[in-house]
Amino acid sequence: KVAFVGVLYTLRKTPNGREGPINKRLIATFESHEALFKWLQREAIKRGYGVKHCLFLADGSDHIWRLQQQYLPLAEACIDWFHVIEKVWAAGECFHRAGSRGLRVWVGHAKKLLREGRVRALIRQLTKALRRTPKTGPGNKGKRARLTHVINYLVEHRHRMRYHHLRARDLVIGSGAAEGAVRNVIEIRLDGPGMRWGRERAERVLQLRCIFVSGLWED
């Protein structure tokens, strides 16, 4: 029931910034993450991977980043902005009431630090908040666990959060192209009411759907 989805496209540099996506290709498979990465590597090489600059965007899955190092180690790595901000909201709710103005202000401050490349400063703030949170008391165990998780997440991926450098070069920091492909490639065709699929047939239909959505049907 798990599909692995990737999107590969090119951006063209112009006097007014970068434009695209150009020649966007989508691939999805029920086989494995590795099968997806083999395809991404092959297609990236065709587009100049290793010679031209390549940016790799994904969420926080450790398995994805291990495969990125194996198959696309020369790509500049960036963890999806929106996944990071979800973690920031979760951390903020440990010391601000959900829906409160205080929470919105704190998250805005945290976003500013990330946009400016000051990830370490945000980690220090969260570490101080963790130390101030008592080990006992109503809800404190859960708050400490959540803060610890977010701190560890930021520490692990801080070298993939160079958002200030990427935005300065007019590059993307969100994996929205892949997120949107999940619906356009899979849900619309394979997840209809009452549908039941065998693995082999679903894989074949999924590949046809990728060809169609990529605009390669006539080819």
Side-chain angles (χ1 to χ4, degrees):
K1 293 182 179 180
V2 176
F4 309 97
V5 182
V7 180
L8 187 143
Y9 60 87
T10 301
L11 294 176
R12 179 187 292 121
K13 194 171 184 178
T14 73
N16 297 317
R18 298 181 190 270
E19 62 180 32
I22 300 167
N23 298 326
K24 185 163 76 170
R25 293 287 307 277
L26 295 92
I27 188 67
T29 179
F30 290 108
E31 185 178 342
S32 66
H33 270 119
E34 190 157 14
L36 173 68
F37 269 85
K38 287 179 179 178
W39 179 91
L40 288 172
Q41 182 192 58
R42 187 166 60 247
E43 291 297 316
I45 289 171
K46 291 178 184 178
R47 299 195 188 204
Y49 168 73
V51 179
K52 299 179 180 178
H53 176 259
C54 178
L55 175 65
F56 181 87
L57 279 157
D59 62 23
S61 168
D62 291 337
H63 188 51
I64 288 176
W65 293 111
R66 283 195 296 270
L67 288 170
Q68 182 260 323
Q69 283 299 302
Q70 180 180 348
Y71 287 96
L72 296 166
L74 301 179
E76 183 174 5
C78 176
I79 191 164
D80 173 61
W81 167 265
F82 300 101
H83 280 83
V84 174
I85 299 307
E86 285 179 0
K87 302 289 185 183
V88 168
W89 278 98
E93 289 177 357
C94 292
F95 34 86
H96 290 289
R97 182 172 52 83
S100 67
R101 181 180 180 278
L103 176 60
R104 293 193 298 273
V105 170
W106 185 86
V107 170
H109 170 71
K111 286 181 178 180
K112 186 173 185 292
L113 291 177
L114 291 172
R115 284 195 296 266
E116 293 174 352
R118 299 167 62 194
V119 183
R120 293 180 186 274
L122 179 57
I123 292 171
R124 286 195 298 269
Q125 288 188 16
L126 292 175
T127 303
K128 289 179 181 178
L130 175 62
R131 290 171 181 164
R132 291 195 302 265
T133 304
K135 294 183 179 180
T136 59
N140 284 341
K141 183 178 179 180
K143 290 178 182 178
R144 289 180 61 85
R146 195 186 313 171
L147 283 170
T148 300
H149 170 72
V150 174
I151 290 167
N152 291 340
Y153 180 91
L154 293 174
V155 169
E156 180 183 358
H157 295 291
R158 64 180 181 272
H159 61 292
R160 301 182 179 116
M161 298 180 187
R162 302 176 72 251
Y163 302 123
H164 55 309
H165 291 300
L166 294 173
R167 295 307 297 145
R169 287 179 282 156
D170 197 26
L171 292 172
V172 179
I173 60 174
S175 58
E179 300 290 343
V182 173
R183 171 169 170 75
N184 291 331
V185 175
I186 301 170
E187 291 183 12
I188 289 177
R189 181 63 185 87
L190 293 168
D191 198 21
M195 284 185 176
R196 296 292 183 271
W197 295 91
R199 174 73 174 268
E200 185 176 341
R201 181 174 294 182
E203 181 75 17
R204 291 178 179 179
V205 171
L206 186 57
Q207 297 307 315
L208 290 173
R209 182 68 182 166
C210 288
I211 291 169
F212 177 75
V213 173
S214 296
L216 300 172
W217 190 263
E218 293 301 322
D219 294 339

